[in-house]
Amino acid sequence: MVLLSFITAASGQQLSLSYGRMFTSFDYQDSQGNALDGLSGTTGNSIMVAYQAPIAKNKWFINTGICLNEYGAKGSDPAVDNYYEWDTNYVGINVGVDYEFFTQKNFFANQDGFYFYLKGAMSTEFLIDGTQRINNQLYDLSGKEQFDKPVFFLRGGVGANYCVSQRLVVSLQYLGGKSFPVFGKSSADNEKLQYVSHTISFGLVLNLPKCKYCDRTF
């Protein structure tokens, strides 16, 4: 409650919308601990709407939001002439912390321009729809084992913000991460499925009224 009250009272609040492309691979092992040969990652979409506020003057920021991520993989097994493909969409709640470690002045506008930051984030995500294709057969993954429980993601990366004006900031960010089952093992045997993701995203950040992010006079 104390932290929430502090954030609410802060004058550096921002709203952001970001879109990115996410490359996903599967870290998969069957019940005997063997990896699935011939499996490669695919690229999908990543969208997030978030709120951000400072928790320590000029350096540390906390953010929370809703994300929509697309994960997938594809592969083939020439020995049995099989082709398979997964395509899944997850919605989640994300919480992250940013630390700004370097600022580059914008001499033309006589204000701070670029802000470079490190980011750590975690999210809990739920499958909203998904399919698996084996050759010409399409299967619904909703409610199926390995996909019927929420997954927990840990991510980290680096980004940069640029002040276009006193009210608008643009951002570019890279995040790498991995998923973990929320309730321990997602299968009764030793079968394991985890997502490994790499995301590059572009965002627009709106400084709310009284926010002085671009001249850092909170």
Side-chain angles (χ1 to χ4, degrees), residues 162-170 204-207 214:
Y162 176 73
C163 291
V164 176
S165 69
Q166 290 296 325
R167 295 298 299 276
L168 183 64
V169 180
V170 296
L204 295 176
V205 182
L206 178 65
N207 294 329
C214 292

Side-chain angles (χ1 to χ4, degrees), residues 10-51:
S11 59
Q13 297 101 326
Q14 298 170 313
L15 293 177
S16 66
L17 172 64
S18 62
Y19 169 78
R21 295 291 286 171
M22 174 183 291
F23 177 80
T24 310
S25 59
F26 279 9
D27 182 4
Y28 175 80
Q29 293 181 355
D30 62 20
S31 56
Q32 282 75 47
N34 300 315
L36 188 61
D37 293 331
L39 194 62
S40 60
T42 60
T43 302
N45 298 312
S46 177
I47 301 172
M48 177 176 290
V49 178
Y51 165 85

Side-chain angles (χ1 to χ4, degrees), residues 16-185:
S16 66
L17 172 64
S18 62
Y19 169 78
R21 295 291 286 171
M22 174 183 291
F23 177 80
T24 310
S25 59
F26 279 9
D27 182 4
Y28 175 80
Q29 293 181 355
D30 62 20
S31 56
Q32 282 75 47
N34 300 315
L36 188 61
D37 293 331
L39 194 62
S40 60
T42 60
T43 302
N45 298 312
S46 177
I47 301 172
M48 177 176 290
V49 178
Y51 165 85
Q52 176 170 288
I55 52 176
K57 188 175 181 180
N58 295 353
K59 291 294 184 181
W60 293 90
F61 298 81
I62 188 169
N63 46 76
T64 182
I66 298 174
C67 57
L68 178 63
N69 294 321
E70 183 179 6
Y71 306 103
K74 59 183 178 180
S76 61
D77 188 349
V80 293
D81 196 26
N82 271 346
Y83 171 80
Y84 28 83
E85 185 176 43
W86 291 265
D87 186 12
T88 62
N89 291 288
Y90 282 77
V91 64
I93 299 173
N94 185 86
V95 177
V97 175
D98 298 352
Y99 172 72
E100 292 184 349
F101 64 90
F102 181 75
T103 300
Q104 175 62 54
K105 290 282 187 178
N106 181 345
F107 295 100
F108 298 101
N110 194 28
Q111 64 182 33
D112 288 347
F114 286 97
Y115 297 88
F116 296 88
Y117 61 89
L118 299 174
K119 186 180 190 68
M122 56 185 180
S123 64
T124 301
E125 302 184 19
F126 303 82
L127 180 75
I128 53 175
D129 65 73
T131 57
Q132 179 185 26
R133 182 183 297 275
I134 301 179
N135 296 330
N136 294 322
Q137 298 294 318
L138 193 65
Y139 303 93
D140 185 4
L141 295 177
S142 299
K144 298 296 190 293
E145 191 176 21
Q146 301 288 359
F147 298 94
D148 61 346
K149 297 179 178 64
V151 292
F152 178 74
F153 273 88
L154 290 176
R155 291 186 171 96
V158 62
N161 289 337
Y162 176 73
C163 291
V164 176
S165 69
Q166 290 296 325
R167 295 298 299 276
L168 183 64
V169 180
V170 296
S171 66
L172 183 66
Q173 177 178 267
Y174 163 78
L175 283 179
K178 189 172 185 178
S179 72
F180 302 88
V182 172
F183 300 108
K185 288 185 177 181

